[in-house]
Structure formats: structure tokens, C-alpha cells
Amino acid sequence: MQTALSVEEARARILAAIHPVGPEQLCLDAACGRVLTREVCALQPSPPFTNSAMDGYAFRWDEVSPGCELPVQGTQLAGPAEPQTLLPGHARKVMTGAPVPAGADTVVRREDTEERPESVVLQVLPSAGRGANVRYKGESFAAGEVLLAAGTRLNAAAISLAASQGCAVLHVRRAPRVAVISTGDELVELGNQPGFGQIINSSAHAVASLIRQAGGSARILPIAPDQAAGCRDIFLSAVEDADMLVSLGGVSMGDADIVRDVVAELAGGRVDFWKVRIKPGKPLAFGEVGAPSGRRAVFFGLPGNPLSSIVTFYQFVRPALLKAQGLTELLLPRLTARLLAPARGPRGRRAYLVGRLAWQAGEAVFRPHTDQSSGGLLAAAHSNALGIVEEGVGSLEAGQEISVESLPLAT
Ligand code: AMP
Ligand code: MG
């Protein structure tokens, strides 16, 4: 009989078996959320030319005093322009983003001036002094600087930064391909009417959503039956086109729990461990699946209970998916919160309780839901965090501190 691993032991063994997937080139607009495999460097300085940060008038700081009147040397809108030099003792009207003429060093806001037909009165000078409201060429970065290092996960600002340098194509890690297989003779596909004794295959849709949210590409395969031959066929069809295979259900102690045997019998299939001291989710298998073609994929056998599959996904599959994309921050962010209601855990297993994390008077507070049953989804559907009751703690009372992992916002 295998001894059950702690969450950390199980996760360490999983992560040791995960390697980054290969690179691909993507057009910029498809790359948000992906991880760079090549750095992005500045092709030009930023800003590329000295320009105004305000609608106003450009002038020489040394030539003015509050209330002075300057003749206006034309208007410059943002757009293509001939470079200009400011005449001595003049001001040039400039709009936001327009080039500031050579010689000018400061811009006064239009609302701090009195505009006359040929001249402008500088009623209030900018309090920031010389250089106010001017964005100098190269003040953000110089040409050649590394803007985004390899390993950076691209957010919207990073996409914009790359676009500003004319990068239309980015080198990123491809999305790990994950096959999702639900097992169980009681399951029917979404869209069918379950008969007596049947339920809809709901967990596959949760797990596919979580895979996509973690940067993977998910493919839901047909439901595998609780008979070895049919189950094996579905597993084999999955291996050909997957980096990872996540099965749901069939890894516990029941008469129909055949998944571990099916995996072990596949060419090169292996189950490394299948018990973890976690609630919900104790039966959790990890290993490798193989096909006669020689193709191999990492194997996760998650429990089928809807809440168990979600909690174990967050603890084990998500970190693996992030590592496969070349990331190094793999765990959910943790913080300490004050409990608003008692939290109970089982003996000898770490409990993850679904609940709501919020802020009250500047303090993080966590309220575990009253229903923590592993088959229940109603509570999880209204949760934004997992509260942790360590093995050996048993229970925490309202008012005590609890470690909480905040769940990523759905995208
Ligand atoms: P198992 O791990 O196969 O013993 O399943 C545990 C419980 O989860 C049983 O009540 C199953 O009916 C249920 N279950 C298993 N797989 C799924 C699924 N894909 N969607 C919804 N419920 C499931
Ligand atoms: Mg089952």
C-alpha cells in the first residue's frame, strides 16, 4: 500500500518531471498571456522625438517671468512635421504629442495662459519649473535597451510596448496541449438529458476552463467508460496530440476505479504516486502515459468530484502548466487573513476550504463557505479564495488567522 504524500512532496515530484514546451512565433495580437522565448529590444529611443505632454505653449524658461507676453511662432499639432527651432523670445503653440521646437525647454498649459491674436500671456508658470510638460527624446529608454526579457509573461502593457517598437511577431512558448478525459459510466455529455443514475460531465468543463486560464490549450475528449478496453482506447487517442493528459475520476478505491491500471498497461505508462494528504482530493495520481508510436505525455489522474478536481487542479496541474510555459512563479499568491467563521479540517490531511476573501477596515478577512462537500459546486462558484487548515491543526475558530490562497480572476 502506497503511503500518501504531503502536498509539497507531491508538487515537488510533479514539477521535477515537467519541462518547458517548445517555442513558436505568434502575431502580436495573439500573444497576450504567452511567455517570451526571445527578448524584445528597443529599436528606437522612447520618446522617439521631444514632444509636449500637454496642450499649451513651448518656450525657453530663461526668457520668461509670470505675466509676460510672447509672440506666437505658429501652431504644431501632433502629426508629421518639419523640425522647427524656436525664435528667441517666442512661444510656439503645441498640442499633446506634438514635437517641441529645438531651443524650447518648457511647456505651459493652455489653461494657464491668455491667448491673444498674435501672442500669448503666460499668466501662471508651471510649478515644476524648467522642463515641465516636456517629454524628452530617449528619457524612457534608449535604442538597444532590453525592454522585455525572455521568460516574461506578456500582459497588455507589454504587448503595447512591443508594438511601439514595431514588433509585429513575437517569439513565445507555445501553449501546452492538454487532453481532458472524464471517466465514468454515469456520465453523459452536456446537451444530453441524463437518465436515472446519470449525471452530466461537468468537471471536464471546469478543468478545461482552468487549463485555458493557466495558458494551456484544452481539448475535451469523449467520456471514457469504466471498462478497461474502452478506457484505454480513449487514453491512447489522447496521447498522440497532448503534452499532458488530465483524467477525471476513476482513481480511487471503487470497483470501477480502473484508471491507474489502464495507465500502467499503456506502452511506457507509469503511475508514480496516487495518494496525497489533501482534502478534497486524496486520490490523485501522477505519472506518464505512452503510445505505441513512442509519444509520451505527463499524466494527472484527478478525482472526479467537481470541487476535488478544481482544488487539485490549482495545487498540482496549474503549477505544472506554468512551468511548462517557462515561468518560475508557480504558486497561487498566499496571504494571511482573519477568519470570520470557524474552519474545520480532517485529521492527517491538509484542507483547502472554498470561501470569500475580502477587505474590512484595511484587514484581509476570509469566510469559508458552510458547504465544503467535495461534490458541491454552489459554494465554489461563489468563491474567490482557498483557506488552508494544515494537517494536525484540526480546526480554527472565528477571529484566528488563516493562510489563504487567492484564486486568479476569471478572464
Ligand atoms: P470517481 O472519482 O470516479 O469515484 O467519482 C467521484 C464522484 O464524482 C462520483 O460521484 C462521480 O459521479 C463524480 N464525477 C466523476 N467524474 C465526474 C465528472 N466528469 N463530472 C461530474 N461529476 C463527476
Ligand atoms: Mg468513476
Side-chain angles (χ1 to χ4, degrees), residues 245-287:
L245 194 158
V246 176
S247 71
L248 301 168
V251 283
S252 192
M253 299 293 285
D255 288 349
D257 290 336
I258 57 166
V259 167
R260 282 178 282 126
D261 290 342
V262 165
V263 167
E265 283 163 17
L266 293 178
R270 209 180 63 240
V271 174
D272 290 346
F273 62 84
W274 63 279
K275 278 187 188 170
V276 181
R277 300 198 301 274
I278 181 173
K279 181 183 162 62
K282 181 177 172 189
L284 178 129
F286 176 75

Side-chain angles (χ1 to χ4, degrees), residues 110-320:
R110 195 173 194 180
E111 49 270 46
D112 292 335
T113 67
E114 184 194 322
E115 297 182 307
R116 296 187 177 164
E118 304 288 327
S119 64
V120 63
V121 177
L122 276 51
Q123 290 171 317
V124 183
L125 295 183
S127 56
R130 186 199 304 277
N133 304 321
V134 176
R135 301 187 287 214
Y136 282 96
K137 178 178 177 178
E139 73 177 20
S140 292
F141 52 79
E145 257 182 61
V146 176
L147 304 179
L148 301 165
T152 303
R153 187 167 203 165
L154 296 161
N155 64 13
I159 293 287
S160 183
L161 188 60
S164 76
Q165 299 305 300
C167 279
V169 172
L170 294 170
H171 295 257
V172 294
R173 255 180 226 298
R174 67 175 172 78
R177 289 187 293 265
V178 190
V180 181
I181 302 177
S182 294
T183 72
D185 287 344
E186 76 278 32
L187 301 177
V188 297
E189 302 285 14
L190 182 64
N192 296 323
Q193 188 61 37
F196 182 71
Q198 294 184 312
I199 55 170
I200 293 174
N201 171 16
S202 60
S203 296
H205 298 281
V207 167
S209 304
L210 292 169
I211 289 166
R212 293 184 192 113
Q213 215 184 329
S217 91
R219 188 162 67 100
I220 299 179
L221 276 91
I223 294 164
D226 283 328
Q227 292 78 40
C231 186
R232 190 179 308 120
D233 288 346
I234 307 259
F235 270 63
L236 275 177
S237 70
V239 183
E240 287 307 330
D241 189 35
D243 302 301
M244 295 183 192
L245 194 158
V246 176
S247 71
L248 301 168
V251 283
S252 192
M253 299 293 285
D255 288 349
D257 290 336
I258 57 166
V259 167
R260 282 178 282 126
D261 290 342
V262 165
V263 167
E265 283 163 17
L266 293 178
R270 209 180 63 240
V271 174
D272 290 346
F273 62 84
W274 63 279
K275 278 187 188 170
V276 181
R277 300 198 301 274
I278 181 173
K279 181 183 162 62
K282 181 177 172 189
L284 178 129
F286 176 75
E288 210 179 27
V289 281
S293 65
R295 268 213 56 101
R296 314 184 68 72
V298 169
F299 162 68
F300 291 90
L302 304 189
N305 261 320
L307 183 55
S308 309
S309 59
I310 291 172
V311 168
T312 51
F313 181 94
Y314 276 124
Q315 299 309 319
F316 304 109
V317 187
R318 183 177 180 273

